[in-house]
């Protein structure tokens, strides 16, 4: 691993992103000095069901809280944390962001210094589809036969794209004084 310069010291990241890309990005952002908080639903992060060891490793140094964002109590906690955060990372479909009051126009009006990094499965008309690494690898002919891939390329590339987006957002906030909205799609993370 490359030694970190702690370039994100003093930056607060709030993540609602589940599965692999969001937590993998949070791990790296935490290593760069960011203070990271992840809010998980009462059902937990599905990743913990796949591999408890990987889940624990990816959340080492990350504060986690369980919160039901569909309740008023959950929304109050979310608003409190948004007011303190520099960057929000999400991995919800666009319609879910609207239902939770997390669309960019709403966030920008309430928290002008906050930046949002939205991870989607795909852009455009496919943004409402669930995003799965294996789907995008298969679409790009990276899976042959019944053999599973050696790694989850789209998920891990998506995590790196998320880290890059956070760095861009923080630099923008520091120079311009207000937040930005950036999005990335796992389907595009393979670079094809």
């Amino acid at each position: 691993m490359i030694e970190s310069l702690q370039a994100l010291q003093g930056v607060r990241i709030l993540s609602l992103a589940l599965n692999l890309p969001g937590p993998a990005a949070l791990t790296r952002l935490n290593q760069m000095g960011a203070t990271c908080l992840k809010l998980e639903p009462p059902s937990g992060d599905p990743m913990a069901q796949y591999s408890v060891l990987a889940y624990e490793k990816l959340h080492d140094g990350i504060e986690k809280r369980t919160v039901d964002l569909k309740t008023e109590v959950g929304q109050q906690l979310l608003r409190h944390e948004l007011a303190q955060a520099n960057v929000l990372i999400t991995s919800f479909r666009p319609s879910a962001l609207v239902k939770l009051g997390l669309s960019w126009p709403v966030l920008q009006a309430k928290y002008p210094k906050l930046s949002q990094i939205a991870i989607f499965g795909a852009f455009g008309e496919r943004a409402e589809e669930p995003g799965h690494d294996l789907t995008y690898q298969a679409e790009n002919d990276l899976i042959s036969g019944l053999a599973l891939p050696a790694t989850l390329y789209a998920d891990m590339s998506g995590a790196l794209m998320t880290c890059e987006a956070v760095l861009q957002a923080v630099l923008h906030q520091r120079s311009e004084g207000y937040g930005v909205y950036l999005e990335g799609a796992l389907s595009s993370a393979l670079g094809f």
Side-chain angles (χ1 to χ4, degrees):
M1 184 178 90
I2 298 172
E3 185 177 332
S4 177
L5 297 175
Q6 302 294 296
L8 294 178
Q9 192 75 35
V11 173
R12 294 183 56 84
I13 309 285
L14 174 61
S15 178
L16 306 176
L18 304 175
N19 291 310
L20 185 55
L26 264 192
T27 295
R28 188 67 191 122
L29 296 166
N30 182 255
Q31 291 169 346
M32 287 188 269
T35 300
C36 301
L37 169 62
K38 181 181 175 197
L39 300 182
E40 294 186 354
S43 59
D45 188 329
M47 183 184 180
Q49 298 171 10
Y50 310 134
S51 172
V52 173
L53 181 63
Y55 172 84
E56 290 300 326
K57 186 162 180 71
L58 282 175
H59 291 83
D60 186 38
I62 308 297
E63 181 183 354
K64 297 178 293 189
R65 290 191 207 151
T66 301
V67 60
D68 187 348
L69 297 178
K70 296 176 183 174
T71 67
E72 182 54 35
V73 171
Q75 282 290 310
Q76 286 176 357
L77 174 66
L78 176 62
R79 287 189 295 270
H80 173 76
E81 294 302 335
L82 286 169
Q84 298 180 56
N86 300 98
V87 178
L88 169 66
I89 300 174
T90 59
S91 63
F92 299 121
R93 294 175 215 156
S95 61
L97 289 172
V98 170
K99 286 179 189 174
L100 292 169
L102 297 172
S103 67
W104 177 242
V106 169
L107 288 174
Q108 187 179 34
K110 291 181 180 177
Y111 313 99
K113 293 186 178 188
L114 178 73
S115 288
Q116 181 182 13
I117 311 303
I119 304 168
F120 297 118
F123 291 124
E125 61 189 44
R126 292 185 66 193
E128 291 294 329
E129 295 176 10
H132 299 288
D133 190 288
L134 292 176
T135 301
Y136 306 127
Q137 287 196 49
E139 288 174 354
N140 287 285
D141 296 322
L142 296 174
I143 298 176
S144 59
L146 298 175
L148 290 175
T151 191
L152 298 173
Y153 295 107
D155 283 349
M156 295 311 292
S157 295
L160 290 174
M161 287 173 30
T162 300
C163 288
E164 180 182 308
V166 168
L167 292 170
Q168 289 179 45
V170 169
L171 287 172
H172 181 273
Q173 288 167 329
R174 288 178 179 169
S175 67
E176 303 299 323
Y178 58 90
V180 294
Y181 173 81
L182 299 170
E183 58 187 34
L186 299 180
S187 61
S188 301
L190 295 172
F192 294 100

